Amino acid sequence: VRFARFFNNSPLAIATLGRDGTVLSSNARFASLLPAGAGPALRLPALIAQADQPKVEAALAEALSGRSEILPVDAALTLDGQRSARVIFVPAEASQNGEGEAVLAYFIETTEEKKLQEQFFQSMKMNAIGQLAGGVAHDFNNHLQAILGFADLLIGNYRATDPRHQDVMQIKYSANRAKAL
């Protein structure tokens, strides 16, 4: 009774799998990961998005071979395409006739973690773009300052009646407009 309460109230989704990857038993948390209408002979890879199925199948094969140190696998779930989980496989003790539970599968839902990670990456990209834009604006302003300084020097060399004076004034006017921009 105590173990059943622990098993069913675990925050981890837990399932026992047969040698063919069929789910033999699971807790309530695991049931929440199942797509609507999932039948009793559900194979675990049916829960995994197609792109992630090969790495889940490979980890499951390692567990079936009895290997104990299997790296967790991050995979998208097929439930709605928006959820993801980290799957950990552990070989179960083999029965005498080779039937029954072969692998224990633990699922840790990582959907919120993935969303936060994506938000963080988006924030980092926006920060980098902001720094780039600020640097470009600073460099552009430095060049405009040089243009304005040389224009001021040239204005002193020409009288207001000289046609070149008007050209220098136009340079200064355009540089000031660019600076305001």
Side-chain angles (χ1 to χ4, degrees):
V1 174
R2 248 179 157 179
F3 176 75
R5 195 171 42 224
F6 171 75
F7 179 74
N8 287 321
N9 294 323
S10 172
L12 301 176
I14 305 170
T16 58
L17 309 176
R19 295 209 63 73
D20 62 352
T22 303
V23 176
L24 301 176
S25 63
S26 64
N27 66 357
R29 182 84 168 138
F30 184 84
S32 71
L33 300 176
L34 298 176
L42 175 74
R43 284 195 73 243
L44 181 79
L47 287 175
I48 308 300
Q50 197 158 8
D52 294 327
Q53 282 183 4
K55 59 185 179 181
V56 169
E57 292 272 8
L60 179 58
E62 286 183 50
L64 287 169
S65 71
R67 185 165 175 230
S68 60
E69 295 295 321
I70 303 167
L71 294 176
V73 178
D74 289 327
L77 303 177
T78 58
L79 184 62
D80 59 6
Q82 303 296 318
R83 294 171 72 183
S84 60
R86 180 164 292 131
V87 186
I88 303 165
F89 293 105
V90 177
E93 291 181 21
S95 63
Q96 264 63 357
N97 59 5
E99 293 181 18
E101 299 173 354
V103 175
L104 299 172
Y106 299 92
F107 284 70
I108 303 168
E109 190 165 355
T110 58
T111 305
E112 289 302 316
E113 181 182 319
K114 295 278 186 195
K115 285 180 185 176
L116 288 173
Q117 195 175 41
E118 287 174 22
Q119 289 174 353
F120 177 72
F121 287 142
Q122 184 66 22
S123 173
M124 294 296 289
K125 285 192 273 186
M126 294 306 289
N127 186 30
I129 289 170
Q131 286 181 345
L132 177 65
V136 168
H138 181 75
D139 288 347
F140 187 68
N141 189 44
N142 287 344
H143 290 295
L144 289 174
Q145 283 300 111
I147 292 169
L148 286 169
F150 286 120
D152 284 339
L153 288 173
L154 282 174
I155 286 174
N157 292 338
Y158 303 111
R159 295 179 185 208
T161 55
D162 191 330
R164 292 178 288 185
H165 181 269
Q166 193 58 30
D167 291 340
V168 174
M169 288 303 291
Q170 187 62 39
I171 291 170
K172 188 171 179 175
Y173 173 74
S174 293
N176 278 323
R177 279 185 50 208
K179 184 177 177 183
L181 180 68

